[in-house]
Amino acid sequence: MSSSPTLAVARLAELVGEGHVITEPTELAGYEVDGLQPAAVARPGTAEAVAEVVRFAAAEKLAVMATGGRTKLRIGAPPRGYDLALDVSRMNRVLAYDPGDLTLGVEAGIRFADLDRVLAEKGQFLPLSPAFADQATVGGIVATNSSTPLRHAYGSTRDYMLGMEFVTGEGNPVKSGGRVVKNVTGYDLHKLMIGALGTLGVITRVNFRTFPLPHAQGTFLASCESAAAALALCRAIARSPLQPRLVEVVEPQAAQILSGGRATLPAGCWSVVVAAAGEPGVVERHGAELARMAQGTHAGAFAGLADKEESALLGCIREFPKHVMEFCPAATIFRISVLPTQMELLLEHARQVAERSQFTWAALVRASGIVFVALLPTAAAPLDGETLRRLAQAATELIRASSVPEIGGRPMIEWCPLELKREVNVWGPVRDDLALMQRLKKVFDPQDIFSPGRFVGGI
Amino acid sequence: MATSDKKLIRELEQILGKQGVLYQPQDLMLYEYDGSVEHARPDYVVFPRSTRDVVEIVRLANRYQVPMVGRGAGTGLSGGALARQGGIVLVFSRMNRILELDLENQRAVVQPGVVNLDLTRAVEHAGLYFAPDPSSQKSCTIGGNVAENAGGPHTLAYGVTANHVTGLELVLPEGDVIRVGGKTVEAPGYDLPGLLVGSEGTLAIITEITVKLSRLPEAVKTLLGVYDSVDDATETVVEITARGITPAACEMLDGWTLRAVEDYVHAGFPRDSAAVLLLEVEGLREAVEVHAAEISDVGVIPRTKLPATLRRIDEIGKSFGFQVGNIFHAGDGNLHPIILFDQRDLEQFARAVATANEIMKFCLEMGGALTGEHGVGMEKNELMPLMFTPADLDLMQRVRGAFNPSGLLNPGKLFPFGKGCGEIRVRPMPVSANAPGVSA
Ligand SMILES: Cc1cc2nc3c(=O)[nH]c(=O)nc-3n(C[C@H](O)[C@H](O)[C@H](O)COP(=O)(O)OP(=O)(O)OC[C@H]3O[C@@H](n4cnc5c(N)ncnc54)[C@H](O)[C@@H]3O)c2cc1C
């Protein structure tokens, strides 16, 4: 922090209020990012206070990281600096909610679980469904572009986010987009904030379009002998008129891990999980057609799940990274965006890489186009030199294998031990659009105070 | 009009051949307007055939320091494709090839000049289609859709163009070719396709587009609701939404508009009704049947701001002495008030613009947006400060500067110029070309 830490802390207290600045070492430990702890945490209660803190930080050239539920601070490259955590979790209000118009505006620090309850009271929901759903806040979910199984039916965050308010690196509060469902006025700057890991601004408000809860839901499960059979089934579903809410494939090792987390999945199989929703007739129709499709592809028949099994399984799928890291603290989880026809080849590469490097591996496939692959070193953290060398080698190979033209995947490492981040670029290969991204970073945060170094290409 | 430069013409012809360059006044006239009420004549019109051509044109424009503007079919409703400060208009009608159809992965890679409906026609045999469906889809281009983030009647269920674009090839205003996004659903890094879609041709020239293809629904049912008042119609929409039904399309025509339509196409609308609702439900048979039945027995319960908004728009029109017709995408609250006036009468024209501005201000006060799908362009740029603060606009302008530092690409659009609306340049229209009516 600046030359006079006490002065700085006093100034922060003026800006955010007495009692909302943290300097206690034990509490600061909870804000650690990749081995670095901030000198202080400021917990502003309003967007104006956020702007003031940022202006102060810019003047003092402090490296700032915005935090919410602190469930995803491990994502990204290790920061170059970290002086101040800007914790927005006090900003947790619903600012506007018009169920009739299907529109919602919330402060960034609201917890997803709390918001979900507010919406459910009006028979609505948001398709975010993030990992660490209990603690995760809306701002953090957006900033990490947290993946949701409901993407299958509802698309990604950018498809139902209407607008945003955020504070730039110069401390200017700005807005982009709007509060209405249709709006093409001005540049959609808010879309840049999705998955930007807080490198462009501090999100203070997000506006969404909401969706009515379906009248009925049903989840169906088929077990397949191979990845090929499971993926063939997914492609058959994609060609059919069915409109499932989610289609996921759980690889056998992943099934075993999730079974530890209360899901009941058959052992040793590639499980295809399909959830249908809507009118009761629609759910029934899914059940009947899926059963017929399974016959055609030699997969085990689809069976419908009872309510309790269903919510346990869907919860476990949503919390996949959490369960994997509980099972194996040193787990290295890749998030690879890939076209459906290339998934089988990608999984085969993953299997070979794991075999060569002698790691157990697990995978979860989001049939709409994302494959999660986890390498599971059994060694305890911090990893010993030999294990780290093997892991780095395997990670490099998997990133290369998934990016080759025949596969055309876009890989990143979402979760991994800190030691690995020093050996491998977690963001995957650099592309020719990096120069544009760097120019945008300069526009939003000219002094490079937001999350320096955590993003793609050292941004 | 600026004078054309013979040397520049010769250099353009070297790239594109004589058939690829227009500069005679009678040829340029065809490109001085689009679907809006604005006019601006370019100095050169060129027809690139490839990304390579575009790069060379862009380099020339930089060397000669002349503005450049992309143009698809010219159906835009905000003057986006007009050369407001003269210069080169790049027309994409010769870059109209579908480069790749990947039916299994539901992707298409197209050049910007491909006409929206042509893409659907090329894939419907496989049960697929391109979802964004602006009413102009028989003529507008996918490049224009991307620039304006076009929507259509089915936006309610399937989203605007942005929701269907995964990758772009760009030629930056200084001539660099860059790819953003790709065929996959996401990529690490900032969402550059998300920024580019809807940027109204002010950040980069788009030379290739990768889009998602959607699966045609198994069943479609269209319903017509007839109402004695506009309020009843709009309140029905609110009630349908409240029941958790999302129609695929939900269009409302007020009495005046439906009579105009009826006179023209004889669609069978009841002439004596005050409003009609056209609703479409689609999806699986089981869902369509239930939703159609439920919509048919919806009661009327007043709730949101939509009915009040329509009443106020009518009042504003009357206070300026105009009849305002309304047709709109009711499901997502996207209004298209239509002010009827004679464009040859300059006084009337100015009054129509004032009416439109008044309506816009009112909609913004109600928490709405300036434009739901047609873009800001040079028609609503002066109204931007009503919706955005100086800090908002400053950031947007600096983003523009990051892509388009010289400002040569599509100048005078999107951002306020500092001129009053009354100063919009109007040229009297020749009588034969007169088309009364403008959409605000
Ligand atoms: C009768 C009618 C009905 C309409 N209905 C709808 C509707 O329902 N929904 C809707 O959203 N719109 C509608 N529109 C508006 C218009 O059709 C859309 O905005 C359409 O997307 C414009 O496409 P275009 O090819 O005509 O583009 P143009 O008008 O030629 O250009 C529009 C903008 O795109 C830019 N541009 C074009 N090509 C490129 C490129 N390759 N690279 C960079 N910039 C480029 C231009 O510079 C300009 O700013 C309607 C228009 C009419 C006349």
Side-chain angles (χ1 to χ4, degrees), chain B residues 27-40:
Chain B
D27 293 329
L28 299 176
M29 264 176 77
L30 290 173
Y31 298 90
E32 69 180 23
Y33 62 92
D34 64 356
S36 71
V37 294
E38 313 290 345
H39 293 84

Side-chain angles (χ1 to χ4, degrees), chain A residues 158 170 174-175 182-185 187 199-200 209 235 238-240 279 285 335 337 340-341 439 455, chain B residues 104-105 155-156 162 186 190-191 202 215 218 286 291 329 332 334 369 371 373 387 392 396 398 402:
Chain A
R158 68 130 105 143
E170 291 165 302
V174 296
K175 67 171 171 306
K182 253 183 169 181
N183 172 20
V184 298
T185 322
Y187 296 141
T199 52
L200 296 180
R209 168 188 182 174
R235 291 199 300 273
R239 281 191 303 267
S240 78
E279 302 305 327
R285 166 93 181 274
R335 171 173 172 172
S337 188
T341 51
R439 282 196 233 166
F455 201 54
Chain B
E104 177 119 47
N105 289 311
T155 294
L156 182 59
E186 60 179 38
Y190 301 137
D191 180 10
T202 62
R215 193 151 292 281
E218 153 188 283
E286 291 79 359
H291 290 164
H329 309 311
D332 48 18
N334 191 358
T371 164
E373 55 185 19
M387 192 167 163
D392 301 342
M396 287 185 197
R398 283 193 288 151

Side-chain angles (χ1 to χ4, degrees), chain A residues 136-292:
Chain A
T137 59
V138 164
I141 292 166
V142 170
T144 55
N145 193 15
S146 195
S147 184
T148 155
L150 297 180
R151 144 189 276 294
H152 196 90
Y154 300 93
S156 65
T157 313
R158 68 130 105 143
D159 296 319
Y160 40 86
M161 187 171 76
L162 303 174
M164 192 188 273
E165 291 176 15
F166 57 93
V167 173
T168 67
E170 291 165 302
N172 291 323
V174 296
K175 67 171 171 306
S176 120
R179 296 172 194 180
V180 288
V181 172
K182 253 183 169 181
N183 172 20
V184 298
T185 322
Y187 296 141
D188 282 350
L189 302 181
H190 51 285
K191 289 185 183 153
L192 293 173
M193 308 290 287
I194 301 174
L197 226 56
T199 52
L200 296 180
V202 181
I203 301 169
T204 53
R205 172 186 174 134
V206 191
N207 301 326
F208 290 105
R209 168 188 182 174
T210 59
F211 296 82
L213 280 167
H215 295 152
Q217 164 153 335
T219 298
F220 305 92
L221 183 66
S223 31
C224 303
E225 272 176 12
S226 63
L231 293 169
L233 203 48
C234 294
R235 291 199 300 273
I237 295 168
R239 281 191 303 267
S240 78
L242 297 184
Q243 299 172 323
R245 270 192 129 190
L246 63 84
V247 179
E248 306 260 317
V249 176
V250 189
E251 168 274 348
Q253 177 64 44
Q256 195 187 328
I257 295 171
L258 295 187
S259 295
R262 294 186 8 259
T264 23
L265 286 162
C269 295
W270 291 76
S271 298
V272 180
V273 182
V274 182
E279 302 305 327
V282 167
V283 177
E284 273 170 40
R285 166 93 181 274
H286 275 80
E289 296 233 348
L290 288 170
R292 196 161 43 241

